[in-house]
Amino acid sequence: MMPETLSVKALGGYIELQLPEVQEYYPNFIKLNTARNCLEYILRVQGYTLIYIPYYTCNVVLDAVKKINIAYQFYHVDVQLNPVLDFTVAPNECLLYTNYFGLKENTVKALKEKIDNLIVDNAQAFFSVALPGVDTFYSCRKFFGVPDGAYLQLSSEDRLSLTSDVSVSRFSHLIKRIDLGAEHGYADFIANNVDLEDNEIKNMSALSRRMMKSIDYEACLEARNDNFNYLHRSLSSYNELAVDPDSVNGPMAYPLLVPHQGLKTRLIAQKIFVPTYWPNVLNWVSSDSDEFYLAEHLLALPIDHRYDRDDMNRIIDTLKELL
Ligand SMILES: Cc1ncc(COP(=O)(O)O)c(C=O)c1O
């Protein structure tokens, strides 16, 4: 199917989905289909011989690395999500670090001073500004109701020649959740996630790009900060993760790290959906490691633009009964 943007513009006829047209948040970055493909793009262009990857990350990040056959080594992060740098990164090697939940901007800045070939995964940190000269990528669908899409700041001027993705077949969960409710769209969400696997590097689809131009980013950022700070005021005394309130800049979720078992299931039973970051980690590390503890015990509480104080109070009240 050829995207319409490549053919002559159609005039007249039926009217398409109507969205406001404002501006993208990162108009000058490279626009791709997924964050994992941004990593592949960086590795193809920069030609590193080895990449250091945190054990505490999503398996699709590793898929991108395996796809291009570059050597890789895992490294540990501690329970505060800081890297354990007990190795040296050689000049032709690079280190990937995730800006966890969008709360690790200070760690990213400190790493930039130490590591020449730093790659920052801002998939969980849409609003964190990329540092000058640091290859940095973002995933749109973790923050907004879009099927896919990613932004890449690349320090090299080299560009790959790409075709454009088409996202229309990965759209159903977004509209089912509105029309039928979250549970009815869930199977489609999973299927559409699977569809993103083995999807080659392409430019962001016209659909995702158009949707990314329609968002009130200031309102989204403000809602996230407000909800995050509100949860933090009530839950910080329980939280084993040290959160610096000054580093809050539109984070992805409120990460609550508590030793209790089985909380996730009990929250889900109350229709408070809390994902696991990341199930693959439980197979990658030993059960006495910090990453295992994080994957098992960290509750990523929703704080996004869809929610207000009443919703946050429901989360707090439910948790306080369980803690
Ligand atoms: C930390 C992290 N980086 C990268 C990705 C990949 O993002 P995308 O689905 O846009 O490829 C994910 C999740 O899928 C993730 O959790």
PDB file of all heavy atoms in Angstrom, residues 33-37 57-58 60-61 98 121 123-124 137 139 141-142 149-150 196 277-278, ligand 1:
ATOM      1  N   ASN A  33       9.830   4.382  12.985  1.00  0.00           N
ATOM      2  CA  ASN A  33       8.624   3.659  13.409  1.00  0.00           C
ATOM      3  C   ASN A  33       8.683   3.168  14.857  1.00  0.00           C
ATOM      4  O   ASN A  33       7.669   3.186  15.549  1.00  0.00           O
ATOM      5  CB  ASN A  33       8.285   2.523  12.438  1.00  0.00           C
ATOM      6  CG  ASN A  33       9.455   1.618  12.112  1.00  0.00           C
ATOM      7  OD1 ASN A  33      10.596   1.889  12.497  1.00  0.00           O
ATOM      8  ND2 ASN A  33       9.190   0.542  11.407  1.00  0.00           N
ATOM      9  N   THR A  34       9.834   2.732  15.339  1.00  0.00           N
ATOM     10  CA  THR A  34       9.904   2.256  16.735  1.00  0.00           C
ATOM     11  C   THR A  34      11.231   2.670  17.375  1.00  0.00           C
ATOM     12  O   THR A  34      12.227   2.920  16.679  1.00  0.00           O
ATOM     13  CB  THR A  34       9.815   0.707  16.823  1.00  0.00           C
ATOM     14  OG1 THR A  34      10.877   0.149  16.038  1.00  0.00           O
ATOM     15  CG2 THR A  34       8.477   0.175  16.348  1.00  0.00           C
ATOM     16  N   ALA A  35      11.213   2.647  18.706  1.00  0.00           N
ATOM     17  CA  ALA A  35      12.430   2.996  19.435  1.00  0.00           C
ATOM     18  C   ALA A  35      13.515   1.941  19.221  1.00  0.00           C
ATOM     19  O   ALA A  35      14.695   2.259  19.099  1.00  0.00           O
ATOM     20  CB  ALA A  35      12.116   3.144  20.924  1.00  0.00           C
ATOM     21  N   ARG A  36      13.095   0.660  19.205  1.00  0.00           N
ATOM     22  CA  ARG A  36      14.098  -0.397  19.000  1.00  0.00           C
ATOM     23  C   ARG A  36      14.815  -0.196  17.662  1.00  0.00           C
ATOM     24  O   ARG A  36      16.003  -0.452  17.538  1.00  0.00           O
ATOM     25  CB  ARG A  36      13.442  -1.780  19.076  1.00  0.00           C
ATOM     26  CG  ARG A  36      12.480  -2.077  17.966  1.00  0.00           C
ATOM     27  CD  ARG A  36      11.508  -3.171  18.278  1.00  0.00           C
ATOM     28  NE  ARG A  36      10.392  -2.707  19.073  1.00  0.00           N
ATOM     29  CZ  ARG A  36       9.315  -3.418  19.362  1.00  0.00           C
ATOM     30  NH1 ARG A  36       9.212  -4.651  18.943  1.00  0.00           N
ATOM     31  NH2 ARG A  36       8.338  -2.924  20.054  1.00  0.00           N
ATOM     32  N   ASN A  37      14.069   0.325  16.660  1.00  0.00           N
ATOM     33  CA  ASN A  37      14.700   0.565  15.364  1.00  0.00           C
ATOM     34  C   ASN A  37      15.590   1.805  15.377  1.00  0.00           C
ATOM     35  O   ASN A  37      16.504   1.919  14.570  1.00  0.00           O
ATOM     36  CB  ASN A  37      13.634   0.649  14.266  1.00  0.00           C
ATOM     37  CG  ASN A  37      13.086  -0.726  13.928  1.00  0.00           C
ATOM     38  OD1 ASN A  37      13.692  -1.742  14.293  1.00  0.00           O
ATOM     39  ND2 ASN A  37      11.959  -0.787  13.252  1.00  0.00           N
ATOM     40  N   THR A  57      16.196  -4.089  31.200  1.00  0.00           N
ATOM     41  CA  THR A  57      15.574  -3.414  30.051  1.00  0.00           C
ATOM     42  C   THR A  57      14.625  -4.384  29.360  1.00  0.00           C
ATOM     43  O   THR A  57      14.511  -5.559  29.725  1.00  0.00           O
ATOM     44  CB  THR A  57      16.608  -2.846  29.066  1.00  0.00           C
ATOM     45  OG1 THR A  57      15.946  -1.939  28.174  1.00  0.00           O
ATOM     46  CG2 THR A  57      17.292  -3.916  28.241  1.00  0.00           C
ATOM     47  N   CYS A  58      13.989  -3.875  28.338  1.00  0.00           N
ATOM     48  CA  CYS A  58      12.984  -4.645  27.600  1.00  0.00           C
ATOM     49  C   CYS A  58      13.678  -5.570  26.587  1.00  0.00           C
ATOM     50  O   CYS A  58      14.659  -5.170  25.958  1.00  0.00           O
ATOM     51  CB  CYS A  58      12.117  -3.625  26.886  1.00  0.00           C
ATOM     52  SG  CYS A  58      10.808  -4.319  25.932  1.00  0.00           S
ATOM     53  N   VAL A  60      12.956  -6.327  23.653  1.00  0.00           N
ATOM     54  CA  VAL A  60      13.003  -5.888  22.253  1.00  0.00           C
ATOM     55  C   VAL A  60      14.255  -5.049  21.968  1.00  0.00           C
ATOM     56  O   VAL A  60      14.681  -4.940  20.827  1.00  0.00           O
ATOM     57  CB  VAL A  60      11.723  -5.123  21.820  1.00  0.00           C
ATOM     58  CG1 VAL A  60      10.480  -5.948  22.063  1.00  0.00           C
ATOM     59  CG2 VAL A  60      11.613  -3.751  22.471  1.00  0.00           C
ATOM     60  N   VAL A  61      14.836  -4.485  23.023  1.00  0.00           N
ATOM     61  CA  VAL A  61      16.093  -3.751  22.859  1.00  0.00           C
ATOM     62  C   VAL A  61      17.189  -4.724  22.420  1.00  0.00           C
ATOM     63  O   VAL A  61      17.956  -4.465  21.487  1.00  0.00           O
ATOM     64  CB  VAL A  61      16.470  -3.041  24.182  1.00  0.00           C
ATOM     65  CG1 VAL A  61      17.875  -2.498  24.147  1.00  0.00           C
ATOM     66  CG2 VAL A  61      15.472  -1.934  24.485  1.00  0.00           C
ATOM     67  N   THR A  98      19.226   3.379  30.044  1.00  0.00           N
ATOM     68  CA  THR A  98      17.811   3.761  29.994  1.00  0.00           C
ATOM     69  C   THR A  98      17.538   4.845  31.030  1.00  0.00           C
ATOM     70  O   THR A  98      17.927   4.688  32.195  1.00  0.00           O
ATOM     71  CB  THR A  98      16.932   2.521  30.317  1.00  0.00           C
ATOM     72  OG1 THR A  98      17.248   1.509  29.369  1.00  0.00           O
ATOM     73  CG2 THR A  98      15.456   2.856  30.232  1.00  0.00           C
ATOM     74  N   ASP A 121      18.456   5.700  26.065  1.00  0.00           N
ATOM     75  CA  ASP A 121      17.133   5.181  25.743  1.00  0.00           C
ATOM     76  C   ASP A 121      16.115   5.991  26.543  1.00  0.00           C
ATOM     77  O   ASP A 121      15.944   5.776  27.742  1.00  0.00           O
ATOM     78  CB  ASP A 121      17.089   3.690  26.123  1.00  0.00           C
ATOM     79  CG  ASP A 121      15.739   3.061  25.843  1.00  0.00           C
ATOM     80  OD1 ASP A 121      14.770   3.803  25.635  1.00  0.00           O
ATOM     81  OD2 ASP A 121      15.663   1.811  25.855  1.00  0.00           O
ATOM     82  N   ALA A 123      12.909   5.930  25.931  1.00  0.00           N
ATOM     83  CA  ALA A 123      11.578   5.365  25.659  1.00  0.00           C
ATOM     84  C   ALA A 123      10.639   5.612  26.837  1.00  0.00           C
ATOM     85  O   ALA A 123       9.434   5.733  26.658  1.00  0.00           O
ATOM     86  CB  ALA A 123      11.684   3.865  25.379  1.00  0.00           C
ATOM     87  N   GLN A 124      11.203   5.700  28.040  1.00  0.00           N
ATOM     88  CA  GLN A 124      10.379   5.970  29.226  1.00  0.00           C
ATOM     89  C   GLN A 124      10.470   7.432  29.648  1.00  0.00           C
ATOM     90  O   GLN A 124      10.081   7.779  30.753  1.00  0.00           O
ATOM     91  CB  GLN A 124      10.854   5.089  30.389  1.00  0.00           C
ATOM     92  CG  GLN A 124      10.660   3.591  30.136  1.00  0.00           C
ATOM     93  CD  GLN A 124      10.797   2.795  31.426  1.00  0.00           C
ATOM     94  OE1 GLN A 124      11.563   3.151  32.309  1.00  0.00           O
ATOM     95  NE2 GLN A 124      10.053   1.710  31.521  1.00  0.00           N
ATOM     96  N   PHE A 137      17.113   8.245  21.884  1.00  0.00           N
ATOM     97  CA  PHE A 137      15.856   7.915  21.188  1.00  0.00           C
ATOM     98  C   PHE A 137      14.668   7.850  22.126  1.00  0.00           C
ATOM     99  O   PHE A 137      14.815   7.653  23.337  1.00  0.00           O
ATOM    100  CB  PHE A 137      15.993   6.631  20.371  1.00  0.00           C
ATOM    101  CG  PHE A 137      16.409   5.406  21.144  1.00  0.00           C
ATOM    102  CD1 PHE A 137      15.462   4.613  21.796  1.00  0.00           C
ATOM    103  CD2 PHE A 137      17.736   5.022  21.207  1.00  0.00           C
ATOM    104  CE1 PHE A 137      15.823   3.467  22.478  1.00  0.00           C
ATOM    105  CE2 PHE A 137      18.114   3.891  21.909  1.00  0.00           C
ATOM    106  CZ  PHE A 137      17.166   3.105  22.544  1.00  0.00           C
ATOM    107  N   SER A 139      10.249   6.715  22.369  1.00  0.00           N
ATOM    108  CA  SER A 139       9.142   5.928  21.822  1.00  0.00           C
ATOM    109  C   SER A 139       7.841   6.685  22.069  1.00  0.00           C
ATOM    110  O   SER A 139       7.568   7.105  23.197  1.00  0.00           O
ATOM    111  CB  SER A 139       9.095   4.566  22.523  1.00  0.00           C
ATOM    112  OG  SER A 139       7.960   3.840  22.101  1.00  0.00           O
ATOM    113  N   ARG A 141       4.591   5.621  21.701  1.00  0.00           N
ATOM    114  CA  ARG A 141       3.389   4.931  22.193  1.00  0.00           C
ATOM    115  C   ARG A 141       3.391   4.671  23.693  1.00  0.00           C
ATOM    116  O   ARG A 141       2.378   4.287  24.244  1.00  0.00           O
ATOM    117  CB  ARG A 141       3.189   3.622  21.405  1.00  0.00           C
ATOM    118  CG  ARG A 141       4.233   2.584  21.634  1.00  0.00           C
ATOM    119  CD  ARG A 141       4.253   1.538  20.549  1.00  0.00           C
ATOM    120  NE  ARG A 141       5.232   0.528  20.904  1.00  0.00           N
ATOM    121  CZ  ARG A 141       4.937  -0.597  21.503  1.00  0.00           C
ATOM    122  NH1 ARG A 141       3.692  -0.891  21.792  1.00  0.00           N
ATOM    123  NH2 ARG A 141       5.896  -1.454  21.788  1.00  0.00           N
ATOM    124  N   LYS A 142       4.530   4.893  24.355  1.00  0.00           N
ATOM    125  CA  LYS A 142       4.546   4.740  25.813  1.00  0.00           C
ATOM    126  C   LYS A 142       3.900   5.943  26.496  1.00  0.00           C
ATOM    127  O   LYS A 142       3.593   5.907  27.677  1.00  0.00           O
ATOM    128  CB  LYS A 142       5.988   4.624  26.337  1.00  0.00           C
ATOM    129  CG  LYS A 142       6.832   3.602  25.624  1.00  0.00           C
ATOM    130  CD  LYS A 142       6.433   2.203  26.040  1.00  0.00           C
ATOM    131  CE  LYS A 142       7.316   1.163  25.385  1.00  0.00           C
ATOM    132  NZ  LYS A 142       7.516   1.271  23.981  1.00  0.00           N
ATOM    133  N   GLY A 149       5.788   4.802  16.482  1.00  0.00           N
ATOM    134  CA  GLY A 149       6.464   6.081  16.236  1.00  0.00           C
ATOM    135  C   GLY A 149       7.607   6.275  17.215  1.00  0.00           C
ATOM    136  O   GLY A 149       7.532   5.831  18.365  1.00  0.00           O
ATOM    137  N   ALA A 150       8.678   6.901  16.735  1.00  0.00           N
ATOM    138  CA  ALA A 150       9.865   7.104  17.569  1.00  0.00           C
ATOM    139  C   ALA A 150      10.646   8.290  17.020  1.00  0.00           C
ATOM    140  O   ALA A 150      10.557   8.616  15.828  1.00  0.00           O
ATOM    141  CB  ALA A 150      10.733   5.847  17.548  1.00  0.00           C
ATOM    142  N   LEU A 196       4.755  -5.342  15.822  1.00  0.00           N
ATOM    143  CA  LEU A 196       5.924  -4.447  15.789  1.00  0.00           C
ATOM    144  C   LEU A 196       7.244  -5.218  15.819  1.00  0.00           C
ATOM    145  O   LEU A 196       8.302  -4.660  15.556  1.00  0.00           O
ATOM    146  CB  LEU A 196       5.871  -3.469  16.970  1.00  0.00           C
ATOM    147  CG  LEU A 196       4.821  -2.372  16.895  1.00  0.00           C
ATOM    148  CD1 LEU A 196       4.807  -1.563  18.182  1.00  0.00           C
ATOM    149  CD2 LEU A 196       5.064  -1.449  15.706  1.00  0.00           C
ATOM    150  N   TYR A 277       7.855  -4.275  34.477  1.00  0.00           N
ATOM    151  CA  TYR A 277       9.077  -3.898  33.758  1.00  0.00           C
ATOM    152  C   TYR A 277      10.232  -4.703  34.317  1.00  0.00           C
ATOM    153  O   TYR A 277      10.618  -4.492  35.443  1.00  0.00           O
ATOM    154  CB  TYR A 277       9.350  -2.403  33.900  1.00  0.00           C
ATOM    155  CG  TYR A 277       8.296  -1.584  33.222  1.00  0.00           C
ATOM    156  CD1 TYR A 277       7.427  -0.782  33.943  1.00  0.00           C
ATOM    157  CD2 TYR A 277       8.121  -1.654  31.837  1.00  0.00           C
ATOM    158  CE1 TYR A 277       6.435  -0.053  33.304  1.00  0.00           C
ATOM    159  CE2 TYR A 277       7.125  -0.935  31.200  1.00  0.00           C
ATOM    160  CZ  TYR A 277       6.296  -0.137  31.939  1.00  0.00           C
ATOM    161  OH  TYR A 277       5.312   0.569  31.307  1.00  0.00           O
ATOM    162  N   TRP A 278      10.743  -5.668  33.581  1.00  0.00           N
ATOM    163  CA  TRP A 278      10.229  -6.266  32.385  1.00  0.00           C
ATOM    164  C   TRP A 278      10.231  -7.773  32.638  1.00  0.00           C
ATOM    165  O   TRP A 278      11.209  -8.267  33.246  1.00  0.00           O
ATOM    166  CB  TRP A 278      11.166  -5.941  31.215  1.00  0.00           C
ATOM    167  CG  TRP A 278      11.103  -4.507  30.776  1.00  0.00           C
ATOM    168  CD1 TRP A 278      10.329  -4.012  29.766  1.00  0.00           C
ATOM    169  CD2 TRP A 278      11.827  -3.367  31.251  1.00  0.00           C
ATOM    170  NE1 TRP A 278      10.532  -2.658  29.588  1.00  0.00           N
ATOM    171  CE2 TRP A 278      11.455  -2.241  30.500  1.00  0.00           C
ATOM    172  CE3 TRP A 278      12.767  -3.157  32.278  1.00  0.00           C
ATOM    173  CZ2 TRP A 278      11.964  -0.956  30.711  1.00  0.00           C
ATOM    174  CZ3 TRP A 278      13.255  -1.881  32.497  1.00  0.00           C
ATOM    175  CH2 TRP A 278      12.864  -0.813  31.723  1.00  0.00           C
TER     176      TRP A 278
HETATM  177  C1  LIG B   1      13.203   0.837  27.850  1.00  0.00           C
HETATM  178  C2  LIG B   1      12.617   0.523  26.514  1.00  0.00           C
HETATM  179  N1  LIG B   1      13.316   0.850  25.420  1.00  0.00           N
HETATM  180  C3  LIG B   1      12.836   0.610  24.189  1.00  0.00           C
HETATM  181  C4  LIG B   1      11.604   0.013  24.005  1.00  0.00           C
HETATM  182  C5  LIG B   1      11.115  -0.226  22.616  1.00  0.00           C
HETATM  183  O1  LIG B   1      10.177   0.745  22.215  1.00  0.00           O
HETATM  184  P1  LIG B   1       9.409   0.537  20.839  1.00  0.00           P
HETATM  185  O2  LIG B   1       8.233  -0.330  21.137  1.00  0.00           O
HETATM  186  O3  LIG B   1       9.003   1.913  20.373  1.00  0.00           O
HETATM  187  O4  LIG B   1      10.353  -0.119  19.923  1.00  0.00           O
HETATM  188  C6  LIG B   1      10.866  -0.388  25.123  1.00  0.00           C
HETATM  189  C7  LIG B   1       9.594  -1.077  25.055  1.00  0.00           C
HETATM  190  O5  LIG B   1       9.075  -1.601  24.163  1.00  0.00           O
HETATM  191  C8  LIG B   1      11.372  -0.111  26.413  1.00  0.00           C
HETATM  192  O6  LIG B   1      10.672  -0.445  27.499  1.00  0.00           O
END
